[in-house]
Amino acid sequence: MSASRCLRLLLPSLLLATTAAWAALPPAIPSSAGAPAEAGAAPAPASDAPTTDAGGLTTLAPVVVTGIQPGPGLWQVRRHGNTLWIVATLSPLPKRIDWEPRELDALVARADRVLTPPRFEIDAEIGFFGRLRLVPSALRARNNPEDRRLAEILPPELYARWEVQKAKYLGRDRSIERRRPFIAAYELTEAAYRELDLRRDNIVWKRVERQARRHQREIVPVSVQLKLEDPREALREFERSGLDDIACLEATLARLENDTRNMVLRANAWAVGDLAALRELPFESELRACALALLGSESLKKRGFAELPRRSVEEWVRVAEESLARHATTVAVADFQLLTNDDGLLAALRARGYEIIEPGTDATASPTDGPAPPLESAE
């Protein structure tokens, strides 16, 4: 891992942000995890290998879709004639699709405002050279305390599973053996995504933001801020502290052992706009275990990091309500799980009495109602 990437992961100014390792932080971060599975317990057999049914027919692993795809439909939240249109993101997505959401492009072009995805912003006030001075601390903090190897800190059964997935996706990389489990988990996942022809970057927001800027629409940041008075000391404490992140690596291994087939199916379902298939393929993101490990760190907890997920959801709901009260057409982008979970964004708005209309539901409004932009504006 490069120094710059390590700094992005460990420097609090970007830790847990959507541009770092934990881009898809789950919507509800409980105060404590449920009872963990026995450390190192072997999971069910992997489901991404070819299988043969009783009739002798072989089912191959799914292929990632490519080419021009429509992407998902739009949720509508309504009140008093005003509409908030929400497009859901998913991670990972197919790497080689050419997403052509012309209806969404037309909607953004005439929207009164566009809401960014929920995010965190950390004010460390250290400047460029201050960040450079933090690089050595960040590089040290990525490794286990006392430079211990993963073989020394993982239960034997779990380390054996790690070796299998490491050989599959990372080859003979020796340096990763000294990384903290959550760093090792991130690097392993990145390598797996490359192998599976998937990517985790948010192509939805990139498209929406580009269209909004092209048509000079108001872009409203939905973010919460945390002021960090002592970034250098925070990194030092993080470097010295024990971090209960073995569960993060274990959850990552379980995802790669059992869920790569469904991971591809989910990405395909998003690309072709199959909401029913997305709902039939639920999963427990490994990022929940990883986020709990990081947010459980004393050096971050005492500085207010544990409150950021809750605060970001509350801020999104606040801005969404303000937009619905004042504007006829608003467009927003949100993670699929964050949007649709029982304790997610739509549930919060529904509880406040807003009308929720799912994609594909007959409704009077259409994304293309109102003046459309010239055809050449759609990329």
Side-chain angles (χ1 to χ4, degrees):
M1 178 183 290
S2 68
S4 61
R5 176 173 289 184
C6 181
L7 192 58
R8 287 200 302 272
L9 279 171
L10 295 173
L11 187 65
S13 62
L14 288 175
L15 186 64
L16 300 175
T18 55
T19 56
W22 321 120
L25 192 68
I29 303 295
S31 57
S32 61
E38 184 179 349
S47 60
D48 58 337
T51 58
T52 303
D53 64 16
L57 296 177
T58 299
T59 301
L60 299 176
V63 177
V64 179
V65 299
T66 59
I68 297 176
Q69 300 296 336
L74 299 171
W75 275 264
Q76 299 176 54
V77 182
R78 295 181 182 176
R79 177 173 285 181
H80 305 315
N82 295 339
T83 304
L84 168 65
W85 300 84
I86 310 173
V87 57
T89 64
L90 188 72
S91 180
L93 287 175
K95 184 182 295 183
R96 304 180 193 279
I97 64 168
D98 184 7
W99 186 41
E100 287 293 342
R102 290 181 176 270
E103 286 190 342
L104 177 61
D105 288 344
L107 179 63
V108 173
R110 66 178 178 83
D112 298 301
R113 54 169 29 186
V114 173
L115 311 186
T116 70
R119 60 191 181 192
F120 319 129
E121 293 182 359
I122 312 303
D123 181 9
E125 295 186 349
I126 57 176
F128 173 76
F129 291 104
R131 290 174 185 269
L132 286 182
R133 288 192 292 270
L134 286 177
V135 168
S137 295
L139 289 173
R140 290 192 301 269
R142 66 181 177 170
N143 288 343
N144 291 306
E146 301 177 2
D147 215 24
R148 299 171 69 193
R149 300 174 64 85
L150 288 174
E152 300 176 68
I153 64 175
L154 299 180
E157 298 87 348
L158 185 59
Y159 185 73
R161 290 166 55 194
W162 156 254
E163 285 190 303
V164 171
Q165 297 301 316
K166 177 192 169 187
K168 185 175 182 180
Y169 296 115
L170 290 170
R172 298 183 178 181
D173 184 350
R174 295 182 178 180
S175 62
I176 199 170
E177 290 292 330
R178 298 191 183 278
R179 301 289 186 257
R180 288 182 183 252
F182 85 92
I183 294 286
Y186 172 67
E187 295 199 24
L188 179 64
T189 302
E190 288 291 287
Y193 284 175
R194 289 193 295 271
E195 181 71 20
L196 296 169
D197 213 23
L198 299 171
R199 63 182 179 187
R200 72 160 88 233
D201 59 312
N202 192 338
I203 64 172
V204 177
W205 173 243
K206 289 180 180 179
R207 177 83 178 215
V208 169
E209 182 182 30
R210 186 167 63 246
Q211 290 295 320
R213 294 191 185 282
R214 168 174 292 178
H215 296 283
Q216 299 181 326
R217 303 294 91 187
E218 179 189 9
I219 298 177
V220 181
V222 183
S223 64
V224 293
Q225 292 191 340
L226 187 150
K227 187 174 180 60
L228 192 65
E229 304 287 352
D230 55 347
R232 182 174 296 182
E233 181 59 27
L235 267 180
R236 287 173 178 167
E237 288 183 17
F238 190 83
E239 178 189 350
R240 295 191 300 263
S241 68
L243 190 64
D244 187 16
D245 57 346
I246 291 178
C248 169
L249 180 56
E250 183 172 9
T252 299
L253 293 175
R255 181 97 189 270
L256 294 177
E257 290 163 338
N258 295 304
D259 196 52
T260 54
R261 177 185 176 87
N262 283 347
M263 198 183 297
V264 173
L265 291 175
R266 270 184 226 103
N268 290 347
W270 183 94
V272 300
D274 190 344
L275 180 60
L278 272 176
R279 285 181 166 158
E280 290 171 1
L281 294 165
F283 71 102
E284 180 69 17
S285 172
E286 76 280 6
L287 297 180
R288 180 179 292 275
C290 295
L292 285 171
L294 291 173
L295 295 177
S297 166
E298 286 301 322
S299 64
L300 299 185
K301 186 188 300 183
K302 72 181 184 181
R303 292 173 171 86
F305 279 77
E307 296 299 314
L308 288 177
R310 176 190 58 79
R311 288 177 56 199
S312 67
V313 169
E314 291 176 351
E315 177 65 7
W316 188 94
V317 172
R318 185 193 69 78
V319 176
E321 288 197 287
E322 176 192 281
S323 299
L324 280 163
R326 298 173 53 188
H327 300 282
T329 304
T330 303
V331 176
V333 176
D335 174 77
F336 179 78
Q337 281 191 298
L338 179 62
L339 187 64
T340 62
N341 274 13
D342 290 342
D343 54 356
L345 302 179
L346 290 176
L349 292 172
R350 186 178 288 109
R352 288 165 169 76
Y354 292 92
E355 179 187 9
I356 309 295
I357 301 174
E358 295 190 349
T361 303
D362 290 337
T364 56
S366 166
T368 54
D369 288 349
L375 184 59
E376 62 269 21
S377 69
E379 295 182 1

